[in-house]
Amino acid sequence: MLHKDVLIRLCDARTLLRETSEGRRSIRQIARDTGMSLFHFIRLYKAVFGETPKQCQLVARLEHAKHLLMATDFPVTDISLDAGFAS
């Protein structure tokens, strides 16, 4: 069973992973901020949330792009760049 403090840090990390703003951090940086090695962070994150941190980031970026596509008239290229995709 995980310690309550570890669960809180993982939840905080999940919030950071879902950030779609320009200043989003890498998974390595977030793992470091939680006080864990990258490998340990990924392993615990997947055990708790059922997805890897990278999958969490990707889903958040896709949801952000989907929202912008439905709610704005921005060009698709601008939306993909805003969501963090190269193309």
Side-chain angles (χ1 to χ4, degrees):
M1 181 164 210
L2 290 176
H3 190 271
K4 181 180 174 183
D5 180 56
V6 173
L7 289 173
I8 290 170
R9 288 187 284 155
L10 287 172
C11 288
D12 290 344
R14 189 175 194 198
T15 300
L16 293 172
L17 288 165
R18 290 178 170 172
E19 279 290 316
T20 57
S21 65
E22 192 68 34
R24 64 184 163 265
R25 296 183 223 167
S26 71
I27 294 169
R28 184 175 305 278
Q29 290 169 319
I30 293 171
R32 190 177 311 125
D33 291 346
T34 62
M36 298 178 210
S37 71
L38 180 61
F39 173 78
H40 190 61
F41 172 70
I42 292 170
R43 187 176 61 79
L44 286 178
Y45 191 93
K46 184 166 184 173
V48 170
F49 296 114
E51 65 182 359
T52 66
K54 189 67 177 171
Q55 289 168 326
C56 177
Q57 276 186 330
L58 181 59
V59 167
R61 289 164 56 191
L62 288 170
E63 287 175 359
H64 178 65
K66 180 176 145 182
H67 170 74
L68 291 176
L69 284 168
M70 292 187 322
T72 70
D73 292 332
F74 298 152
V76 173
T77 303
D78 291 348
I79 290 173
S80 69
L81 292 173
D82 186 63
F85 297 102
S87 61

